[in-house]
Amino acid sequence: MIPVVAIDGPSGSGKGAVGFAVARRLGWHYLDSGAVYRALGFAALRAGVDLRAEPAVTALANSLNLQFVQDLSGEMRVLVNDEDCGLALRSEQVAAAASQVAAHPAARRALLERQRAARRPPGLIADGRDMGTVVFPDAVVKVYLTASAEVRAARRYHQLKETGFGGTLPQLLAEIQERDERDSRRAVAPLKAAGDAFVLDSSTLTLAEVIEQVLALVRSRVGAVPSV
Ligand code: DC
């Protein structure tokens, strides 16, 4: 069985940076499942689909032409229906749309196989909200990475400043809390730690410390894995 490491947690907990770095170190594949939902949110906004309309959103999910392409600098580019989403995929507008489309059970089902198809040798690091609970329940390591809402909002603020997007700290905190609320309360695949997940609070840890802790967990479960 191809090993999967599931890293779930709320927005801004650092899952993306940790998942990507761990995948690099191990030479494994990496699935950013949030980008899949963001791509659907992006496509729905583009097509003017009502984000609350489950059948229309699901039809869009079924027909979504989604490609992850690594460019020469190693950056992952996301193409939705052949259009490069660029930085728009990381905007708060697309994040909010992603959270809304992700609340539809049928749309989630439509995206399930696409995510499972990312499981390829020698292994996969998958980050999201339901990697350990729904998509890869047999993951060898499940990490639930979290941090206080204030720390997550501050991280997001610095990240957005770097990419040139605006937003004030109180506004970002309110948006994060709203998204947490919606992602945790939805009926299907809500944001929650799997019963067998290792809960890691990154509020007072550096990125490097979190990466080392996750790598140590992987080694303890999978045995000696090459590290590059
Ligand atoms: O991790 P992210 O911020 O890129 O995710 C964007 C939205 O997608 C998030 O609000 C919830 C949704 N999502 C989900 O429902 N399930 C996942 N596995 C990943 C993301």
Side-chain angles (χ1 to χ4, degrees):
M1 205 41 151
I2 302 163
V4 175
V5 172
I7 306 180
D8 290 305
S11 302
S13 58
K15 322 177 288 294
V18 171
F20 187 73
V22 170
R24 275 252 163 122
R25 289 273 292 272
L26 298 175
W28 287 14
H29 298 279
Y30 168 61
L31 170 68
D32 171 4
S33 65
V36 177
Y37 287 96
R38 283 172 185 262
L40 180 58
F42 177 88
L45 291 175
R46 267 277 184 279
V49 164
D50 180 354
L51 302 176
R52 294 161 304 180
E54 182 162 16
V57 171
T58 305
L60 199 62
N62 276 315
S63 66
L64 196 67
N65 172 4
L66 180 61
Q67 289 165 276
F68 288 89
V69 181
Q70 203 155 14
D71 70 16
L72 290 175
S73 65
E75 279 286 303
M76 195 62 88
R77 313 217 67 92
V78 181
L79 306 185
V80 175
N81 300 329
D82 293 325
E83 179 186 351
D84 186 342
C85 303
L87 289 175
L89 206 69
R90 300 285 143 209
S91 69
E92 287 299 299
Q93 192 200 9
V94 168
S99 167
Q100 288 179 68
V101 296
H104 299 308
R108 300 192 72 86
R109 276 197 299 277
L111 297 176
L112 203 53
E113 284 316 311
R114 255 174 227 267
Q115 296 173 77
R116 289 190 174 146
R119 184 176 203 160
R120 281 177 285 130
L124 176 72
I125 310 291
D127 93 51
R129 305 291 189 289
D130 61 345
M131 297 296 101
T133 50
V134 177
V135 184
F136 303 108
D138 62 342
V140 281
V141 175
K142 297 180 187 180
V143 176
Y144 187 80
L145 190 59
T146 186
S148 70
E150 287 74 17
V151 166
R152 291 185 285 124
R155 286 179 185 161
R156 187 89 188 111
Y157 177 71
H158 292 297
Q159 209 178 29
L160 287 176
K161 244 168 96 177
E162 272 173 30
T163 52
F165 283 106
T168 65
L169 202 49
Q171 191 189 340
L172 286 170
L173 179 59
E175 280 169 6
I176 278 196
Q177 285 166 333
E178 188 188 324
R179 224 167 335 134
D180 279 0
E181 175 82 7
R182 186 165 41 221
D183 294 345
S184 316
R185 286 184 169 234
R186 69 178 175 226
V188 64
L191 168 65
K192 67 161 196 261
D196 47 355
F198 180 86
V199 179
L200 198 55
D201 187 328
S202 73
S203 302
T204 59
L205 298 174
T206 64
L207 179 60
E209 286 168 333
V210 179
I211 293 168
E212 287 310 322
Q213 290 208 20
V214 175
L215 280 169
L217 271 172
V218 178
R219 289 191 190 106
S220 73
R221 296 284 169 87
V222 184
V225 275
S227 185
V228 279

